[in-house]
Amino acid sequence: IRLVMPSRFYNDLVDKVVEDYIKTYPKVTIDLLLSQVNSIPETDRDLVVTFDLDGLDDMIARPLFKVEHAFFVSPEYLAQAGGNIETLQDLAKQDWVASTHTTQVPIYQQDKLVDMLNCKPRLVVNDITAVIKAVENGLGIASIPLRHVKPELNLVRVAPSYSRGDREAYLVYRQRNYQPKALTLMVEAILQASEERN
């Protein structure tokens, strides 16, 4: 079985699933690729964890969990920005750090889409840990999953009435009439671990 997923997701949830699986099914081989790059299952044994379903219309996508985001800067950056980032206009003026090259950031107020913010990130890095580190070091503002924000981090939440909306993580694999048993068992184990975590 070939697994492709972001390293943070593997370390937060799937590492124990894979270790238990290997112990339980010693004849199955796991090929694990930790990557932030959006991947497409190449064979009937590929499992991909992704937040982006673009180009995956003919695949099976099983929802895993939703990730709530908010906007954060470092205290030092906030002081340089005048000590106040509250409005859509304030957000639009900032230096952005992002995990993708998108220039359109959806802005939600509660569950309602209120704007598509045009921004050109000054730094794009395809790993959320690196995004958080860059923001802590005062390089700009980023939309960061709340589950990754810890009290010890050098982060301050700004524009608290806005967010980029929840993002859904999916477990994706190819459709197949007769799924290999080993793959079915892995899918069930990951879904169960995700459900227990939520």
Side-chain angles (χ1 to χ4, degrees):
I1 299 173
R2 187 169 182 267
L3 298 171
V4 184
M5 67 187 68
S7 57
R8 192 77 184 239
F9 180 75
Y10 178 77
N11 293 324
D12 284 352
L13 179 70
V14 181
D15 56 352
K16 183 82 168 83
V17 173
V18 170
E19 290 166 11
D20 290 347
Y21 187 95
I22 288 170
K23 291 173 186 172
T24 306
Y25 306 103
K27 292 185 178 180
V28 179
T29 301
I30 305 291
D31 180 359
L32 178 63
L33 176 62
L34 301 182
S35 171
Q36 297 293 338
V37 178
N38 194 35
S39 300
I40 295 176
E42 296 174 6
T43 73
D44 63 350
R45 293 175 192 245
D46 282 351
L47 289 177
V48 173
V49 175
T50 183
F51 289 96
D52 184 3
L53 294 179
D54 287 347
L56 302 178
D57 296 338
D58 58 339
M59 306 286 175
I60 296 172
R62 305 281 298 272
L64 287 174
F65 56 85
K66 286 188 178 176
V67 178
E68 187 179 350
H69 281 242
F71 300 113
F72 290 90
V73 297
S74 70
E76 297 79 10
Y77 182 92
L78 185 60
Q80 289 176 356
N84 195 20
I85 302 173
E86 297 291 330
T87 67
L88 293 175
Q89 293 76 18
D90 293 337
L91 288 172
K93 292 189 297 190
Q94 305 311 313
D95 295 331
W96 283 80
V97 179
S99 58
T100 67
H101 288 90
T102 183
T103 57
Q104 294 275 304
V105 178
I107 305 293
Y108 286 81
Q109 205 162 24
Q110 296 174 341
D111 292 332
K112 183 181 176 188
L113 179 65
V114 294
D115 200 3
M116 289 298 289
L117 192 70
N118 287 313
C119 72
K120 185 176 180 190
R122 292 202 61 216
L123 174 65
V124 177
V125 55
N126 68 344
D127 178 81
I128 191 61
T129 304
V131 168
I132 292 169
K133 182 62 74 179
V135 173
E136 282 191 286
N137 290 334
L139 297 184
I141 186 171
S143 176
I144 297 175
L146 290 179
R147 67 191 293 161
H148 297 317
V149 177
K150 308 292 185 227
E152 64 272 14
L153 297 177
N154 188 42
L155 298 174
V156 177
R157 185 170 179 176
V158 294
S161 60
Y162 299 103
S163 75
R164 73 167 292 159
D166 295 347
R167 297 188 71 201
E168 182 99 50
Y170 296 92
L171 182 63
V172 179
Y173 49 97
R174 289 190 175 279
Q175 297 188 40
R176 180 187 160 113
N177 289 336
Y178 301 101
Q179 198 75 266
K181 183 69 171 174
L183 185 68
T184 301
L185 292 169
M186 178 62 80
V187 168
E188 290 171 358
I190 293 173
L191 290 172
Q192 181 178 347
S194 179
E195 188 175 307
E196 288 170 359
R197 170 119 189 201
N198 294 334

